[in-house]
Amino acid sequence: MDARSREAGKGRAAARALLRGTPPPAGGLLQSAGPDAWIAFDEEIRRHGPLPEAVTATFRARLSARLGLLQPKTPVEVLLCHPDGRIREAALGTPQPPPELVVIRCADWAAAVREPARRLLAGTLADAPAATLVALTPLVLRLAGRDQGAWALALFEASLRTDPPLPAATARRDPATEPADHPSTVLARLRDSADLPTRRYATRLTLDTPVLRDRLAVRDLAHLAATERDPANAAVWTDATLRSLAAARPDDRGDGAGGRDEAAEQEAVDLLIGSPLPSVRAAGVTALRRAGRTAEGVSHLADRSPLVRACARWLTARDGGDPHDHYRRLAADPAGCSPHAVAGLAEGGRTEDVPLLRSLVAHPSGSVRAAAVAGLRRLGADPDRSALLALLDDPSPAVAREATLSLRPVAEDLDVGHLLSRCTPKQPLHTRRAAFRLLQVQGGTAARQAAESLSSDWNPALRRAAIAASHFYASPERTGRRGWLRG
């Protein structure tokens, strides 16, 4: 269950508790809950809430007077979500209705409910713009897709474009003492929101509004790109950073008015390179050339990402170096050899590296051995069946997995007895799994025997796969299985 489903479940549980007569918590209903919880709460009340007790012509007036002058027995949260629109309309007149439910009522299908809710929301936004925008923007974004949901989004967007300061942070940020994009304004807070749609919306609004975009120096753009957890949103910030670097526009917070801030540009490149996302790091490595630091491309040849390694090879070649020679030196150095360097060597695509890769299959590090097996497969080297079969018993699961992938094209010619002997409980899990997969490629009686043997395996995933295979072999469809008639 993802976070949004958990939030929705929290909202439904709160609704059922109120309908059962449980009083709301002392701190308020759904404290610190996300927008999905409030939407689910509203839907649950609308679906299971009480029916109106009267339908006379004077019901609306009497109900309004009762809710306006007396404390209703039914919680106002239930009344605001009541199936009867007249009750929802009257509940909006109660003192201090929950703002989240007021936002939901702004998108109500009934105009008699919708219009007073909109007046309430507009008044709340005018009285406390910063607090209202921070608290309710995620919910407004969720409701924007409804038939009547665009009004609240337009209202909030007009206010957000002014980017009001947060109450506790009205002073101008000092870049020497505070981090980039310090949440001193509403949009800065929304750009750091835990809610992904809110972060994406705040990003788009910031970059689409020239006044807001120009407030961010190149180091701020790079910081936002490097710290963003969502790859799609990080790509937007990365593109903005690269455009700023390419334009070499003046840094609004630099010391020199109208001049380039070289230190800020170099810092921006370093921030991109330090990102945990490969696409952002790759952009940073590519930006090293514009920054005059092409010689640093060598240090990124063994990055853990293939995309970054490809950019580093390009940068090294532009600097006049030979990436292949660097990779061979890294792979031949017992102390400096890493699986990423071995992968980079194979990505070069030279058959002359096959002997070196074969020697690395015996490397002490399991990750290096696995990278060497994968590299041999990438280069199209003829598989050494006996050596690869022996790797099924390797203590590293990654090595056994790569050996299995390399043996799949020749699985039909492998020793059936050797594979069946690896499908016993005494063998490690990764060995049993590898042998089972190869036997399933073979098909035939041996595959059925392996499935039956592993149908009681202690590992749930392997056990389910073996049971499914056993059922297949027991069905009439087994005659269509390739190799079934072979013993």
Side-chain angles (χ1 to χ4, degrees), residues 128 192 221 230 277 394 419 432 451:
D192 195 41
L221 295 171
D230 173 51
L277 295 178
D394 194 279
L419 294 177
R432 299 199 305 275

Side-chain angles (χ1 to χ4, degrees), residues 18 21 33 39-40 75 85 129 133 140 160 186 203 210 225 228 257 288 300 338 371 431 433 479-480:
L18 284 185
I39 293 174
L133 291 171
V140 169
L160 283 169
V186 170
T203 297
E228 175 58 55
L288 285 173
H300 301 283
S338 71
T431 300
R433 185 188 294 117
T479 54

Side-chain angles (χ1 to χ4, degrees), residues 6 27 37 71 102 158 161 169 186 198 225 275 288 308-309 317 374 381 409 430 434 472 474:
R6 289 193 296 271
Q71 180 67 28
V102 172
R161 288 188 186 277
V186 170
T198 301
S275 170
L288 285 173
V308 178
R309 292 196 295 269
H430 62 273
F472 171 76

Side-chain angles (χ1 to χ4, degrees), residues 180 218-219 222 262-273 293:
V218 65
R219 64 164 70 89
E262 295 286 351
E265 294 178 10
Q266 299 294 342
E267 182 183 354
V269 174
D270 291 333
L271 285 170
L272 294 179
I273 292 175
R293 297 160 58 183

Side-chain angles (χ1 to χ4, degrees), residues 439-441 443-444 472-473 477-485:
L439 285 170
Q440 295 310 302
V441 175
F472 171 76
Y473 290 127
E477 298 177 1
R478 64 183 182 275
T479 54
R481 177 73 171 179
R482 178 170 58 90
W484 169 255
L485 296 178

Side-chain angles (χ1 to χ4, degrees), residues 252-391:
D252 295 337
R253 298 176 184 149
D255 294 330
R260 290 178 55 186
D261 190 339
E262 295 286 351
E265 294 178 10
Q266 299 294 342
E267 182 183 354
V269 174
D270 291 333
L271 285 170
L272 294 179
I273 292 175
S275 170
L277 295 178
S279 57
V280 180
R281 290 203 309 280
V285 171
T286 305
L288 285 173
R289 180 172 179 266
R290 182 180 296 275
R293 297 160 58 183
T294 54
E296 296 181 26
V298 175
S299 61
H300 301 283
L301 288 172
D303 190 273
R304 59 186 181 274
S305 166
L307 176 62
V308 178
R309 292 196 295 269
C311 293
R313 287 194 293 271
W314 169 83
L315 187 63
T316 302
R318 294 303 296 261
D319 192 43
D322 187 353
H324 181 256
D325 288 343
H326 288 287
Y327 278 127
R328 286 191 65 90
R329 284 197 294 271
L330 290 173
D333 181 9
C337 185
S338 71
H340 311 305
V342 176
L345 177 64
E347 288 163 357
R350 298 190 183 184
T351 56
E352 65 192 69
D353 299 321
V354 169
L356 177 57
L357 290 174
R358 289 195 189 280
S359 67
L360 292 174
V361 173
H363 194 275
S365 171
S367 57
V368 172
R369 295 197 301 274
V373 175
L376 289 170
R377 185 174 65 251
R378 184 185 184 94
L379 293 178
D382 293 332
D384 186 342
R385 300 177 189 179
S386 59
L388 290 173
L389 271 177
L391 290 178

